[in-house]
Structures are given as structure tokens and as C-alpha cells.
């Protein structure tokens, strides 16, 4: 199991005034994927938090974070799993699923 840092643009390495914070927060995920790809033949998937990870204090993911993470995962032939248990299923107003907020 590999865990990427929480893309917290309030307290994290990249702040809300950085328009590229989403893609920057996705770099550690790309690095993990590169390490996994070195182990050829291994099955893997990426489980990503919903658009507002409740386990971290309702952090709203930065713009383009999931888009970039999904791009890295799919380019490597991986499977993306969006966890919508806490904030999905119509709880976000304009979007039924949280990941739709970044599509």
C-alpha cells in the first residue's frame, strides 16, 4: 500500500493562490505509479477519496487534482476507484457524485 499526501490547499505545500496546485499535488501519485510500474505483472488500482474527503476535515480537493491523478493512472493502465461513501450520492448540490465536480 502506498499513500499519497492529502492535497490540502489550505495547510499543504501548495496554497489556494497557486493556480497549478491541483496538478502539483498529483505529482506524488505519479511518482507512486512509476514505482509500481517497475514491478511488471503486478495488478494494482488507485482508490481515491471523494471530492470532499471527510476523513480529513471536509477538504475540498484543488481544481484539476483528480483530473491529473486519473490521467496518470489511466496512462499506466490502472483502475480508478472514486470513494463516494461520505459525500457522494446527491449530497453536493449541483453534482450527484463528487468526482463529477472535476470532470
Amino acid at each position: 500500500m502506498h499513500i499519497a499526501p492529502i492535497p490540502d490547499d489550505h495547510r499543504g505545500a501548495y496554497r489556494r493562490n497557486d493556480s497549478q496546485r491541483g496538478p502539483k499535488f498529483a505529482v506524488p501519485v505519479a511518482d507512486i505509479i512509476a514505482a509500481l510500474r517497475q514491478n511488471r505483472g503486478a495488478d494494482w488500482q488507485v482508490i481515491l477519496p471523494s471530492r470532499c474527503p471527510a476523513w480529513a476535515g471536509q477538504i475540498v480537493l484543488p481544481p484539476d487534482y483528480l483530473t491529473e491523478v486519473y490521467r496518470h493512472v489511466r496512462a499506466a493502465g490502472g483502475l480508478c476507484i472514486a470513494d463516494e461513501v461520505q459525500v457522494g450520492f446527491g449530497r453536493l448540490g449541483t453534482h450527484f457524485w463528487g468526482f463529477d465536480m472535476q470532470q
Side-chain angles (χ1 to χ4, degrees), residues 28-98:
V29 177
D31 293 342
I32 292 169
I33 291 169
L36 289 170
R37 291 190 78 191
Q38 289 181 8
N39 184 6
R40 294 178 188 258
D43 291 330
W44 60 280
Q45 59 261 293
V46 175
I47 300 175
L48 302 164
S50 62
R51 180 65 170 93
C52 303
W55 40 259
Q58 297 299 74
I59 291 174
V60 176
L61 300 178
D64 298 323
Y65 173 73
L66 286 183
T67 301
E68 278 296 298
V69 168
Y70 286 0
R71 184 179 67 79
H72 293 306
V73 172
R74 290 175 178 144
L79 173 66
C80 299
I81 301 170
D83 176 0
E84 297 284 349
V85 171
Q86 294 193 19
V87 299
F89 207 65
R91 296 180 181 150
L92 295 171
T94 59
H95 295 84
F96 194 76
W97 298 112

Side-chain angles (χ1 to χ4, degrees), residues 4-10 12 14 21-22 25-26 49 53 55 59-62 65:
I6 295 172
D8 181 351
D9 62 3
H10 177 66
Y14 310 106
R21 65 193 180 275
F25 275 118
W55 40 259
I59 291 174
V60 176
L61 300 178
Y65 173 73

